[in-house]
Amino acid sequence: MKKVLLVLAIVLSANMLSAQTPEKAKSLLDEVYNKVKSYDNIFVDFKFDLKNAEAGINQETRGDVTLAGDKYVFNYLGSKQLYDGRKVYTIVPENEEVTIEDQSEDEDAMTPSKMLTFYKEGHNYEWDILQNVQGRKIQYVKLTPIDSNTEIKSRLLGIDMGTKHIYRLIETGKNGTKTTITVNSFKTNQPLSSTLFNFDEAKYKDEGYYILRN
């Protein structure tokens, strides 16, 4: 009888903990979101890893992004992408080409504007592992998309519990592709040029760039 009661107590405790897990995870992410939204601007330097063993893909590179509200400047793979709140400008110096287009309306698209806030909606949440990274406590939250038609299987979001800043995002696709973004540097409220998010079309035309409008 004592053994049966002990087993029941363990099961009930586990069920109660499981029930609290989504609320605990959501509460942490709300705290992170509110902190991110409180900054005038954010600069993030990051490492980007893309792996798919079946397809033989193993890529690693670095990039950086400056965010102020919805506006951003994104430097990645030798190209620059700028969003001024109206249009997205993709500048590729190697090809001397600029593409001008509307912001993507795809809800699953991981744009720089959503990079630090995408988790706010559209997911189920689960408390995951706690890691020690060079003395920093990184708490992971597992996010599973509510929309079953999405190509994303799951996302793991690692939160630095000391700063409440995002440290790492691990995204697993249904095709086996794993994308990992690790934050190397996270700076806030930096002095920014008043023209940082402005696109100077005349300048690029003078430099011989081809301007493509989609």
Side-chain angles (χ1 to χ4, degrees):
M1 177 66 73
K2 288 182 179 180
K3 288 185 179 180
V4 173
L5 289 174
L6 178 60
V7 170
L8 285 173
I10 291 172
V11 170
L12 288 172
S13 297
N15 286 339
M16 288 176 66
L17 182 60
S18 176
Q20 292 171 356
T21 292
E23 293 182 5
K24 189 177 179 182
K26 180 66 163 56
S27 178
L28 174 60
L29 293 182
D30 283 343
E31 190 175 351
V32 174
Y33 177 84
N34 290 332
K35 191 161 189 180
V36 166
K37 297 300 286 185
S38 73
Y39 298 127
D40 292 333
N41 61 71
I42 296 170
F43 171 82
V44 179
D45 175 89
F46 62 88
K47 183 175 74 172
F48 179 92
D49 290 304
L50 180 66
K51 291 181 172 62
N52 187 314
E54 187 175 335
I57 298 173
N58 189 355
Q59 300 175 353
E60 180 179 315
T61 188
R62 295 183 68 162
D64 64 75
V65 60
T66 301
L67 300 149
D70 290 332
K71 299 178 182 180
Y72 63 78
V73 175
F74 179 43
N75 296 295
Y76 178 68
L77 292 176
S79 301
K80 175 187 285 188
Q81 191 173 86
L82 184 152
Y83 180 57
D84 62 3
R86 296 178 298 107
K87 295 287 184 179
V88 177
Y89 307 86
T90 303
I91 304 159
V92 185
E94 184 179 358
N95 300 336
E96 294 189 336
E97 181 178 280
V98 177
T99 302
I100 304 174
E101 56 194 335
D102 293 329
Q103 179 74 285
S104 173
E105 296 183 1
D106 182 359
E107 292 184 359
D108 291 329
M110 187 61 72
T111 66
S113 297
K114 297 179 182 177
M115 191 174 179
L116 300 175
T117 59
F118 73 91
Y119 51 83
K120 184 65 175 174
E121 298 176 346
H123 297 87
N124 292 315
Y125 308 102
E126 183 179 344
W127 199 257
D128 211 90
I129 64 170
L130 176 68
Q131 285 186 337
N132 188 309
V133 180
Q134 298 179 338
R136 299 161 66 188
K137 291 183 178 180
I138 307 299
Q139 176 63 56
Y140 282 87
V141 173
K142 185 175 182 180
L143 298 90
T144 306
I146 294 173
D147 182 2
S148 60
N149 293 320
T150 180
E151 296 179 1
I152 305 303
K153 181 180 179 180
S154 65
R155 288 169 170 143
L156 276 173
L157 196 61
I159 308 300
D160 185 322
M161 295 300 283
T163 63
K164 295 301 190 296
H165 291 161
I166 295 172
Y167 167 69
R168 178 172 287 159
L169 168 64
I170 304 171
E171 181 179 278
T172 302
K174 291 179 179 177
N175 64 354
T177 299
K178 179 176 285 188
T179 304
T180 303
I181 299 174
T182 303
V183 173
N184 296 318
S185 176
F186 191 104
K187 299 178 181 178
T188 63
N189 298 339
Q190 300 294 293
L192 302 181
S193 166
S194 60
T195 61
L196 180 63
F197 303 108
N198 295 345
F199 176 71
D200 188 346
E201 183 170 340
K203 169 192 169 185
Y204 287 97
K205 282 184 175 179
D206 289 344
E207 293 178 0
Y209 276 65
Y210 176 69
I211 310 294
L212 175 65
R213 286 182 167 80
N214 287 341

